[in-house]
Amino acid sequence: MTDVTGSSAPSPGKRGGARRFDWRGLGADARAAVPDASLGLLLTGLIFWWLYTRIENGTSPSIEMMPPFDEASDYWWYWLCQAFGWSALLWAYVTVGFGLLRSGTRPPWRWLSAARVEKWHRTTSLTTIGLMFMHMVSFFAAELQTNFEDQPAGELVRDTLVKVFVPGGYPTGTGRVAIFLGLIAFYLAIVLGLAFYLRQATGSRLWRALHRFVIIVYVLSAWHTLLYGTNVWFDGSFRTLVWALQMPLAGLLLLRLLAPARPSERLRLRGPRRESRSLPLTARLAGRLAVVATLAGLLAVIISGADGGRTDHGHSSQPWPDRWIIWTGLLVLTLVLVAVVHRLRPAPDKPARGGHLAADRHSD
């Protein structure tokens, strides 16, 4: 997530201790995140009030697809779930931005120091995970509130736990895909985000390589929202705005790839220091081309207005992709992560390569 410089590599005699999870560092970052998390909860409350008010006065687009939910007081857990979802997506957006600034060439502003951006990235990352968890908890409560008359209590709780917390456990409708994507994003956020606190054991090189995959968490989160967020369910200006807001992040990602903070990550096609190995060269070039294609795609969506939303009349296509495609993608991602760990793991007879721990807390 960020770079933490100045830490020395653990000595061979202390290597066993270095392999433990850095609970002290996590505790310090959690305490530093209290103001940030408080702001997140405050914003969640404001979003909840806005959603609740729109349901009460009948102006929410959610009522068009869920008419029985028109009594806000009867289904307030669902609107709280939506509020946590939007605040979590906003915090994910912000923390990805900080990560890209930290790992790329930063603007020459004195107040935007590397240490400050690094701290902001760490705290907003923890807040994002917390908001995502609360989004899931409130969805669990909303499901119980909605279905409590249909099943015995024990069976309802058990089935709801599977639906809300187990990838692929939600059985019906758009949620079969959307909730699946959201759960993958949540669990990847925990594994890849908290891997920072294992960097002394894994070595900074391995940790940086794993952390680059965090951008997938944000992509899946935004995808989950566009598929399942009833406020952006239909075509319209708000849905197009959500698409448009991805442009700055994609632009930051492209700048980070073109001008990374680490000279070793720069793409050199010519000159005496050009990359001689075909795999890193191909991967770096493909990454840059993929981001350019993403920017072009986002621009086409914004200009055309064809943003994948449902129409409020007539037949709407089923959400893409099918779950087997998601499972396949998850398998491929898992194999890639295993390959990265195998290739970059510290040698068993040497101290972990965390000597400088200049860990890019970036998100690509």
Side-chain angles (χ1 to χ4, degrees):
M1 294 204 230
T2 57
D3 255 346
V4 182
T5 57
S7 300
S8 59
S11 64
K14 297 182 179 179
R15 186 181 170 198
R19 289 199 177 279
R20 292 195 300 267
F21 190 84
D22 185 12
W23 290 106
R24 180 176 298 180
L26 176 59
D29 287 342
R31 289 189 294 273
V34 169
D36 180 75
S38 301
L39 181 60
L41 291 175
L42 176 61
L43 182 63
T44 301
L46 292 174
I47 296 174
F48 172 72
W49 170 80
W50 179 68
L51 295 172
Y52 193 97
T53 301
R54 283 169 61 82
I55 293 295
E56 288 283 274
N57 59 30
T59 59
S60 173
S62 299
I63 300 178
E64 296 183 44
M65 58 163 298
M66 298 186 303
F69 282 44
D70 59 352
E71 288 293 334
S73 59
D74 291 343
Y75 300 101
W76 65 273
W77 272 111
Y78 184 78
W79 313 121
L80 183 61
C81 168
Q82 281 202 343
F84 272 117
W86 283 109
S87 60
L89 184 64
L90 175 60
W91 251 254
Y93 186 97
V94 170
T95 197
V96 168
F98 286 149
L100 292 172
L101 282 175
R102 178 63 185 91
S103 58
T105 301
R106 293 178 300 282
W109 303 327
R110 289 186 177 182
W111 59 271
L112 198 64
S113 65
R116 179 169 293 178
V117 175
E118 172 190 314
K119 179 181 178 181
W120 289 345
H121 182 51
R122 287 204 309 271
T123 58
T124 52
S125 295
L126 293 177
T127 299
T128 300
I129 293 174
L131 291 172
M132 292 172 76
F133 177 71
M134 292 306 300
H135 175 54
M136 294 168 64
V137 169
S138 54
F139 182 55
F140 174 78
E143 286 288 307
L144 292 179
Q145 183 186 41
T146 304
N147 301 305
F148 75 96
E149 294 181 349
D150 300 335
Q151 291 176 274
E155 180 182 339
L156 175 60
V157 170
R158 183 176 61 253
D159 289 350
T160 305
L161 283 171
V162 172
K163 290 167 64 176
V164 174
F165 292 99
V166 177
Y170 200 89
T172 59
T174 305
R176 296 178 70 252
V177 173
I179 294 176
F180 193 3
L181 294 173
L183 285 173
I184 294 174
F186 174 69
Y187 293 126
L188 281 178
I190 293 175
V191 173
L192 298 177
L194 299 186
F196 173 74
Y197 303 99
L198 279 170
R199 67 197 185 284
Q200 288 187 338
T202 62
S204 58
R205 186 183 177 199
L206 174 56
W207 170 76
R208 287 195 305 271
L210 290 175
H211 194 68
R212 291 187 178 98
F213 291 92
V214 168
I215 192 66
I216 296 175
V217 173
Y218 179 77
V219 171
L220 292 175
S221 299
W223 194 356
H224 164 80
T225 300
L226 289 167
L227 275 177
Y228 212 48
T230 54
N231 304 105
V232 288
W233 188 278
F234 300 114
D235 290 319
S237 58
F238 184 55
R239 184 180 176 89
T240 302
L241 175 63
V242 173
W243 279 98
L245 288 174
Q246 312 314 310
M247 290 283 288
L249 279 190
L252 267 180
L253 177 56
L254 182 61
L255 288 176
R256 183 259 178 268
L257 293 175
L258 294 176
R262 291 177 170 275
S264 62
E265 296 178 359
R266 294 171 187 167
L267 178 65
R268 294 185 174 91
L269 300 177
R270 298 178 181 178
R273 301 184 64 185
R274 68 181 183 275
E275 179 60 67
S276 58
R277 297 172 298 171
S278 58
L279 182 59
L281 179 64
T282 303
R284 289 172 184 170
L285 184 59
R288 287 153 176 79
L289 293 176
V291 177
V292 170
T294 300
L295 280 166
L298 288 171
L299 188 61
V301 166
I302 295 166
I303 293 175
S304 67
D307 54 16
R310 283 80 160 178
T311 57
D312 54 5
H313 59 278
H315 176 71
S316 296
S317 60
Q318 292 296 317
W320 186 90
D322 292 332
R323 285 203 294 187
W324 71 267
I325 298 177
I326 303 174
W327 279 118
T328 303
L330 184 59
L331 175 61
V332 171
L333 176 61
T334 302
L335 293 175
V336 170
L337 291 175
V338 169
V340 169
V341 171
H342 177 74
R343 182 172 178 269
L344 300 180
R345 71 190 189 282
D349 56 339
K350 296 179 181 180
R353 296 182 62 183
H356 302 291
L357 291 181
D360 278 351
R361 269 202 155 223
H362 53 72
S363 296
D364 86 322

